[in-house]
Amino acid sequence: DARVTQTPRDKVTEMGQEVTMRCQPILGHNTVFWYRQTMMQGLELLAYFRNRAPLDDSGMPKDRFSAEMPDATLATLKIQPSEPRDSAVYFCASGLVLTGAANEQFFGPGTRLTVL
Amino acid sequence: RKEVEQDPGPFNVPEGATVAFNCTYSNSASQSFFWYRQDCRKEPKLLMSVYSSGNEDGRFTAQLNRASQYISLLIRDSKLSDSATYLCVVNIARRDTGRRALTFGSGTRLQVQP
């Protein structure tokens, strides 16, 4: 049963520390998404990649957030330095997008980040 | 104004009831529409796509009204296991980049009671 995996599942850190979240998309999927979910804002798209190339990171605070996809099996989201307002659940999702059509996205279990 | 708006609820209904959720979207050029379900402290999962002609999957019926720019989800014969948050999702061109991406509503919470 193919699924998206994310690590760590929970992360508690102190303000100013670097946080790295990892995602392994479903094999064969060509698009990877990073979302952030909070009670106030709901689910927000931070960035996404297609065939490992960044397509859109307009939802991401550029000064402290960075997203990369070093290979087809790994996507990373890094926050440096972290701030309390970054506390949220970060979801990675993957999908197979053909000819620009929007298809189902499969979400990972999320990383629950708490910045003290 | 949010691009995708939903009544947050909660909708508290007894088992066996029929319940309907609506969702409105602001971008008339939107092309793809979905309902996702999210259980408490879990990830969102696709419930069903929404087609122009309307579609049904068991107890669930989704409809799209392009003229009024709203989507609906109808659940018949509610089960306890239907308790969850239902997210309305629309494929919208992002303001900054013009690229299309799924935009999620904040969700409508449903609580089915015995």
Side-chain angles (χ1 to χ4, degrees), chain A residues 29-116:
Chain A
H29 283 183
N30 63 354
T31 309
V32 176
F33 306 83
W34 281 106
Y35 290 90
R36 173 172 64 184
Q37 187 173 38
T38 61
M39 289 292 291
M40 294 298 294
Q41 299 296 327
L43 201 60
E44 304 173 280
L45 178 64
L46 297 175
Y48 71 97
F49 296 77
R50 180 151 308 141
N51 298 319
R52 295 178 54 204
L55 279 198
D56 189 335
D57 62 0
S58 59
M60 211 163 63
K62 299 291 191 300
D63 55 339
R64 299 182 300 106
F65 284 59
S66 62
E68 295 181 347
M69 203 160 174
D71 64 60
T73 64
L74 177 64
T76 62
L77 179 66
K78 189 175 296 186
I79 308 174
Q80 168 63 19
S82 57
E83 296 181 2
R85 60 182 166 146
D86 301 330
S87 298
V89 180
Y90 291 81
F91 287 106
C92 174
S94 72
L96 181 60
V97 178
L98 303 172
T99 64
N103 294 330
E104 180 177 2
Q105 293 183 17
F106 295 80
F107 283 75
T111 294
R112 185 172 298 273
L113 174 65
T114 304
V115 183
L116 303 173

Side-chain angles (χ1 to χ4, degrees), chain B residues 10 18 26 28 33 38 45 47 49 54 64 90 94-95 102-104 106 109:
Chain B
T18 295
S26 59
S28 60
F33 309 89
Q38 186 172 23
K45 292 183 180 177
L47 177 66
S49 302
L64 168 64
V90 180
R94 288 162 71 78
R95 291 196 187 99
L102 296 188
T103 299
F104 286 73
S106 297
R109 194 154 66 88

